[in-house]
Amino acid sequence: MAQLDERHLDPAVALATLDDTPPRAPHRQFALKDGDCFVVTNDRGDIQGRGDGFFRDDTRVLSLFRLTVGGREPSLLGASLSQDNIIFTANLTNMPMEHVPQGVIHIERSRLLWQDRMYERIRLWNYGERDMQMPLSLEFDADFRDMFEVRGSTRPKRGKTFASETSAGHVLLKYEGLDTLVRQSVISFSEQPVQLSAGSAEFRIALPRHDGFSLFIEVGTSNVERPSRERYRSAAAHARWRMRAKRRHGATLHSSGRVFNDWMSRARADIALLTTELQTGPYPYAGIPWFSTAFGRDGVISALQMLWLNPGLAKGVLAFLALHQATETLAFSDSQPGKIMHETRKGEMAALRELPFGRYYGGVDTTPLYIYLASAYAKRTGDMAFIEQLWPSLRAAAGWMDAMQAQHPKGLVAYKRASETGLSNQGWKDSSDAIFHADGSIPKGPIALVEVQGYVFAAYRGLAQLAARRGESDLAKNWEDNAERMRASVERVFWMEDRGYYAIAIDGEGRPCKVRASNAGHLLYVGLPSKDRARQLSEALQTAAFQTGWGVRTLADDETPFNPMSYHNGSIWPHDTAICGAGMAQYGERDSVVRLMSGTFESAVHFNMRLPELFCGFTRSPGEAPVAYPVACLPQAWSSGSAFMLMQACLGLEVDGFESEIRVSRPRLPIGIDTLTIRRLRVGNVEVDVHFQRVGDRVACFLDARDEGRAPLVVRS
């Protein structure tokens, strides 16, 4: 069995081993997704290997797809995604060729995905003063590499790659894996190439003056009808209809700021793009390209971010995770009865158990987060019928937490991987160097992370509330006591009096890792710290050690291994910033959240309205943009969702589903925004529009006139 190289935990390190090509900035890569397929290209629309490709079920089924005109790459004019994330378009022009001056041919590449197929239209228009014959070439290949191979893992043996087969208008690329599954790609053309080989198609396009021509290409698992304008338009119409249906779920936001609205719209479209309809309901896949699959932690946090607007997403996440809850103890998959799944994969390496990620449980925080999401969903919706369905799963998850605490001398929930093939660190900072002592040394396990104890506290408290509603008062009392014991343990064991901050972890020898990291900010989100310690923690997170002007660093800049270009030790993760901000709001720090919202919005503007998975933690300087992390996922669900978590924290809004009541506490609007409307906010069985308006130095909140009396609105200034 192949050993999994830990370098896969940091994609930047893994990919650096593949070749000497510098990685592309994430906001210059373009991704489309449909179900379990996605495609990543450069801004010309080319697939050129490395992390690019057309992927299906965690396998790269197209690793090269490169357009040349007259033997040269065309010149880029611009590239964009449609607002609904359905169509990628690159506008190009020709380089100088014999008898053809530069810049007289407009080349437009448009691409979309629909039902496991990639559809492409290449449209050429002749702006020259004479008729032309344009030589156009497409190079292609499929390496059928597993996603983990693309990320840098090596395999001692691979399956059989077949010789390419060509016939009239199409090419078949085929591979049989060691799992005996045959994977193939068929590339089909609307026009017969003048020359078609195993790796390229050559065309000579007749272009009359001031006239155009369109070539249609499809890449799928089989050869169906010949590509055509009609097939392309039909696929685009169906894809757009389905995306509109996705985006209709839940409430929407509209403000007085046009650019701010563009950000909100793009973030909502990215959540919709990444959301896949599974048998259990909608599930937000984590991110493209490395994590386009169901992750437990990512799904739960994304659902929490969107809960106030779209509780249906949380219901889908909970149903999926309950279905795949562990029932047995297996070292290879790090599973134990009651534990909630961390990750699932469909590729060849997972099927052959060369790595444990087919269905992997090596996440210490997913189980308490799952319970917390269930309690938050119930409070938001009042849907106790669904909670009844989940109750056996929630009891099993609570049993796992009980068992973990019973094993720990301080009653904490800790992790230590059960197999060498698994993740060495099992919190959200899961790279191998993310947890350390103040001198930079790596601690011995089991490791008890500070934020995980906060999640456990919130899980027990949520369970107590649910049990009370079910009339199980003794059980409610037991879980409430567990929550308070955990609160006391965290305050006693993790607090560093000399630094006015919480340690990042307790190691296997009972020693605190006396490091100031953003992890502690998650305690604010669940309401664990005392008011005095919450104040000290909030103030620390707003100092220059953490606050860059773009967001909160994952690590204070005075810690030993601080590196603003690292994956977890000094970078900025928008979801982490949002959780810290939402936590500050829990303790009344609303103005601080407004500042975080402003920095996050301005970061998004520099990244073309899309927040990447992470970016570098350099301090903001006048006139400079945030610095991209080279191989961050884009889009990423919990980065997109951070916009909505921060917005809720600014507005101080929550919906009580049990009372069918909207509550707003000390609302603030983002800087530069004077009005904001939440449209179609569901409260119980009704939908209402909620308005916020700046009035002097205050923000007024009121319902639309037609909605008054339909749902109680309680505002506390």
Side-chain angles (χ1 to χ4, degrees):
M1 183 181 298
Q3 290 292 310
L4 179 64
D5 190 336
E6 279 191 2
R7 291 173 303 181
H8 89 274
L9 304 179
D10 184 341
V13 176
L15 287 170
T17 67
L18 297 183
D19 56 44
D20 294 327
T21 307
R24 183 169 61 248
H27 58 293
R28 299 314 307 163
Q29 72 181 27
F30 291 85
L32 299 170
K33 176 185 173 295
D34 179 68
D36 287 312
C37 291
F38 68 90
V39 61
V40 177
T41 73
N42 66 12
D43 43 16
R44 287 185 173 84
D46 288 335
I47 295 170
Q48 302 199 91
R50 201 173 176 81
D52 293 351
F54 179 28
F55 293 82
R56 186 185 304 116
D57 291 335
D58 286 322
T59 300
R60 185 160 62 183
V61 296
L62 197 63
S63 53
L64 175 66
F65 197 64
R66 179 170 173 263
L67 173 70
T68 56
V69 177
R72 303 181 67 180
E73 285 188 345
S75 177
L76 176 67
L77 300 175
S80 63
L81 284 170
S82 59
Q83 190 174 39
D84 59 8
N85 280 330
I86 293 300
I87 295 178
F88 162 77
T89 302
N91 285 286
L92 312 158
T93 190
N94 66 293
M95 299 296 286
M97 298 177 286
E98 187 177 359
H99 307 304
V100 181
Q102 180 173 351
V104 298
I105 306 299
H106 176 224
I107 306 155
E108 181 191 76
R109 298 181 76 176
S110 297
R111 176 181 296 140
L112 66 112
L113 298 181
W114 173 245
Q115 293 187 333
D116 292 348
R117 295 184 75 80
M118 186 175 86
Y119 294 79
E120 178 151 344
R121 180 186 65 200
I122 301 176
R123 188 158 54 188
L124 298 95
W125 188 272
N126 180 3
Y127 286 98
E129 293 304 316
R130 64 181 184 82
D131 298 347
M132 297 181 188
Q133 288 284 329
M134 294 301 299
L136 183 148
S137 175
L138 276 163
E139 298 174 75
F140 45 79
D141 194 12
D143 60 9
F144 296 102
R145 291 192 176 275
D146 186 280
M147 172 57 75
F148 285 93
E149 290 183 275
V150 177
R151 291 173 64 182
S153 295
T154 57
R155 301 177 67 192
K157 187 178 180 182
R158 300 189 78 247
K160 178 183 178 182
T161 302
F162 293 84
S164 303
E165 300 176 17
T166 63
S167 59
H170 72 269
V171 178
L172 170 64
L173 310 172
K174 188 165 66 173
Y175 167 80
E176 182 178 1
L178 298 176
D179 57 356
T180 72
L181 185 65
V182 174
R183 297 165 172 88
Q184 63 183 37
S185 288
V186 178
I187 306 171
S188 307
F189 307 96
S190 60
E191 301 292 322
Q192 179 65 39
V194 295
Q195 184 175 337
L196 183 60
S197 68
S200 67
E202 309 286 340
F203 301 87
R204 289 198 68 81
I205 308 297
L207 281 182
R209 61 187 294 271
H210 296 180
D211 204 352
F213 178 87
S214 294
L215 173 68
F216 295 89
I217 306 162
E218 294 181 23
V219 183
T221 58
S222 60
N223 183 31
V224 290
E225 298 177 39
R226 183 179 288 270
S228 65
R229 184 187 312 274
E230 292 71 28
R231 285 180 56 81
Y232 178 89
R233 287 181 172 177
S234 176
H238 281 92
R240 285 200 143 133
W241 180 87
R242 189 170 66 182
M243 179 58 79
R244 281 196 297 271
K246 282 187 184 181
R247 295 181 70 181
R248 280 196 294 266
H249 292 301
T252 58
L253 303 176
H254 185 80
S255 79
S256 58
R258 182 181 59 80
V259 178
F260 191 84
N261 288 341
D262 288 344
W263 177 39
M264 289 285 150
S265 179
R266 172 61 73 188
R268 192 62 182 268
D270 284 348
I271 292 286
L273 175 73
L274 289 165
T275 298
T276 301
E277 287 294 332
L278 305 176
Q279 288 185 339
T280 47
Y283 201 103
Y285 281 9
I288 298 173
W290 316 119
F291 311 120
S292 187
T293 186
F295 274 76
R297 177 193 306 118
D298 299 61
V300 169
I301 290 176
S302 299
L304 284 167
Q305 292 169 329
M306 301 301 296
L307 182 59
W308 65 298
L309 298 172
N310 181 16
L313 196 61
K315 188 173 184 178
V317 169
L318 289 165
F320 178 84
L321 295 177
L323 181 65
H324 297 289
Q325 188 172 27
T327 58
E328 58 185 345
T329 300
L330 292 172
F332 182 67
S333 61
D334 226 327
S335 66
Q336 293 146 352
K339 201 173 182 183
I340 297 297
M341 185 198 76
H342 167 70
E343 175 180 0
T344 182
R345 294 285 184 175
K346 296 181 178 179
E348 180 184 357
M349 293 176 72
L352 293 169
R353 295 173 64 86
E354 295 180 24
L355 42 75
F357 302 114
R359 190 177 298 166
Y360 182 59
Y361 293 84
V364 70
D365 48 6
T366 309
T367 306
L369 282 170
Y370 162 76
I371 298 172
Y372 176 63
L373 176 62
S375 65
Y377 169 81
K379 183 178 180 182
R380 168 64 178 86
T381 64
D383 185 4
M384 286 301 292
F386 181 60
I387 296 301
E388 288 299 316
Q389 297 175 32
L390 288 182
W391 196 245
S393 170
L394 295 172
R395 291 292 304 267
W400 177 83
M401 293 195 309
D402 293 342
M404 295 300 291
Q405 288 182 275
Q407 295 172 19
H408 196 279
K410 297 182 184 294
L412 305 175
V413 173
Y415 66 86
K416 184 176 184 179
R417 64 179 174 186
S419 169
E420 288 300 311
T421 56
L423 298 176
S424 57
N425 279 321
Q426 299 189 357
W428 83 262
K429 295 179 180 178
D430 58 2
S431 50
S432 57
D433 63 346
I435 308 301
F436 47 85
H437 283 291
D439 61 0
S441 62
I442 301 299
K444 295 180 180 179
I447 304 296
L449 294 169
V450 65
E451 77 275 17
V452 172
Q453 316 316 309
Y455 303 154
V456 172
F457 159 78
Y460 279 131
R461 192 167 60 171
L463 283 169
Q465 293 164 357
L466 294 176
R469 288 199 171 270
R470 297 180 81 250
E472 299 183 74
S473 56
D474 290 344
L475 195 55
K477 176 67 166 56
N478 176 61
W479 279 330
E480 187 62 44
D481 290 345
N482 285 355
E484 289 308 312
R485 277 194 294 271
M486 178 57 78
R487 185 203 298 268
S489 293
V490 171
E491 295 284 44
R492 182 179 66 256
V493 175
F494 286 87
W495 182 252
M496 301 182 291
E497 190 64 45
D498 57 331
R499 306 193 73 182
Y501 206 85
Y502 293 93
I504 191 175
I506 304 297
D507 72 7
E509 298 173 338
R511 296 190 301 141
C513 298
K514 295 186 175 182
V515 172
R516 294 194 306 160
S518 63
N519 304 55
H522 296 214
L523 296 181
L524 298 172
Y525 177 65
V526 298
L528 184 146
S530 66
K531 287 185 178 180
D532 179 61
R533 288 182 177 178
R535 178 187 54 77
Q536 294 183 66
L537 178 54
S538 295
E539 289 175 354
L541 288 169
Q542 295 175 72
T543 63
F546 282 102
Q547 180 54 250
T548 65
W550 302 118
V552 177
R553 292 187 180 102
T554 53
L555 185 68
D557 66 0
D558 56 358
E559 298 293 347
T560 298
F562 170 76
N563 178 356
M565 300 175 289
S566 69
Y567 198 52
H568 285 129
N569 293 336
S571 53
I572 298 165
W573 289 64
H575 89 278
D576 186 42
T577 293
I579 291 173
C580 291
M584 292 178 195
Q586 294 274 15
Y587 289 85
E589 290 281 345
R590 200 81 67 205
D591 292 334
S592 302
V593 180
V594 170
R595 289 192 292 272
L596 282 178
M597 179 66 141
S598 178
T600 302
F601 167 54
E602 288 159 5
S603 300
V605 170
H606 284 287
F607 288 121
N608 296 329
M609 297 302 168
R610 263 186 165 170
L611 286 171
E613 174 189 16
L614 72 154
F615 51 98
C616 293
F618 293 108
T619 301
R620 184 172 182 171
S621 298
E624 294 185 3
V627 179
Y629 185 80
V631 290
C633 284
L634 190 72
Q636 179 90 353
W638 64 12
S639 285
S640 300
S642 64
F644 304 104
M645 180 174 266
L646 283 168
M647 177 58 79
Q648 183 184 18
C650 286
L651 299 178
L653 182 148
E654 66 173 17
V655 177
D656 188 327
F658 293 116
E659 300 295 330
S660 294
E661 182 176 270
I662 305 168
R663 297 170 187 157
V664 176
S665 175
R666 300 176 59 236
R668 300 289 186 272
L669 283 169
I671 295 170
I673 302 300
D674 293 323
T675 63
L676 183 138
T677 298
I678 307 170
R679 294 173 176 160
R680 304 194 328 272
L681 181 69
R682 177 160 288 277
V683 186
N685 295 319
V686 302
E687 291 183 347
V688 298
D689 292 352
V690 185
H691 302 276
F692 293 83
Q693 182 171 341
R694 196 182 301 278
V695 181
D697 60 354
R698 299 178 61 192
V699 173
C701 175
F702 52 93
L703 293 179
D704 199 81
R706 63 178 171 79
D707 292 327
E708 290 182 4
R710 299 180 70 212
L713 171 64
V714 179
V715 181
R716 185 170 65 87
S717 299

